Amino acid sequence: MNNDTIIDLSGIKEIDDPLTGILRDGARRLLCTAIEAELAEFLKRQEDRRTGQGRKAVVRSGHHPERSIQTGIGPVSVRIPKVRANDGKPVTFRSTLVPPYVRKSRTVESWIPWLYLKGISTGEMSGVLSGLLGKRAEGFSASVVKRLKRVWLDEM
């Protein structure tokens, strides 16, 4: 019987995990709802802006292309709405949740250097992973990390 707990991930591009899929889908829907609320607030602030015919000057105008944002639960797709002005004056909607060109959440962005500097190089994974996975990041003791590093070195 093989007691090896290391899973060979070479050649696997994505892990099929139904729970993570549900969480990502929920995160995507929640993010879309929050962005729509931001847009509604933006359009409400533009309510007084009118064309010469008395129509609303700022209206919705489709979406920007869909993009993925890397988060702690993996990539979450999002489409940011666009607006246009009918009165000739420029207008742009910018989401505060997902600013232009953002491709990863601040949490992931801030913890990746720590994961490398403190976690991988010293083997102190539990402290680093608690930032990404929460305070109860368990199962990443120094011995587990050393074993994983050995396997990764062998594969490399």
Side-chain angles (χ1 to χ4, degrees):
M1 185 157 140
N2 186 359
N3 289 334
D4 192 6
T5 58
I6 298 174
I7 300 170
D8 180 21
L9 296 178
S10 61
I12 298 175
K13 294 186 187 234
E14 188 173 320
I15 297 173
D16 183 27
D17 177 14
L19 178 60
T20 303
I22 291 169
L23 292 171
R24 279 188 203 147
D25 188 49
R28 183 189 54 75
R29 279 191 254 133
L30 186 61
L31 186 56
C32 287
T33 302
I35 291 170
E36 287 295 328
E38 278 186 315
L39 178 64
E41 181 62 33
F42 176 81
L43 292 174
K44 188 175 179 181
R45 287 192 311 266
Q46 303 290 330
E47 189 76 27
D48 294 336
R49 196 167 153 185
R50 299 286 175 165
T51 63
Q53 293 84 21
R55 295 184 179 153
K56 293 180 182 179
V58 180
V59 294
R60 290 182 67 121
S61 181
H63 290 86
H64 291 283
E66 186 174 276
R67 62 182 159 137
S68 288
I69 298 174
Q70 189 63 38
T71 69
I73 59 170
V76 174
S77 298
V78 65
R79 290 179 62 196
I80 306 297
K82 293 192 291 186
V83 296
R84 66 180 166 84
N86 293 327
D87 61 358
K89 299 176 188 172
V91 64
T92 304
F93 168 69
R94 300 251 191 246
S95 170
T96 56
L97 293 171
V98 186
Y101 309 108
V102 166
R103 296 287 186 239
K104 53 189 152 306
S105 69
R106 288 185 197 149
T107 306
V108 169
E109 197 169 84
S110 65
W111 280 101
I112 292 294
W114 282 108
L115 187 62
Y116 176 75
L117 293 173
K118 187 169 171 94
I120 294 173
S121 62
T122 65
E124 297 176 23
M125 296 297 283
S126 60
V128 176
L129 289 176
S130 66
L132 282 172
L133 304 175
K135 293 180 180 181
R136 298 190 56 150
E138 298 173 357
F140 291 99
S141 65
S143 61
V144 170
V145 173
K146 284 180 187 177
R147 196 165 15 116
L148 287 170
K149 283 170 58 175
R150 245 183 291 129
V151 169
W152 294 335
L153 282 172
D154 291 343
E155 287 177 359
M156 194 169 75

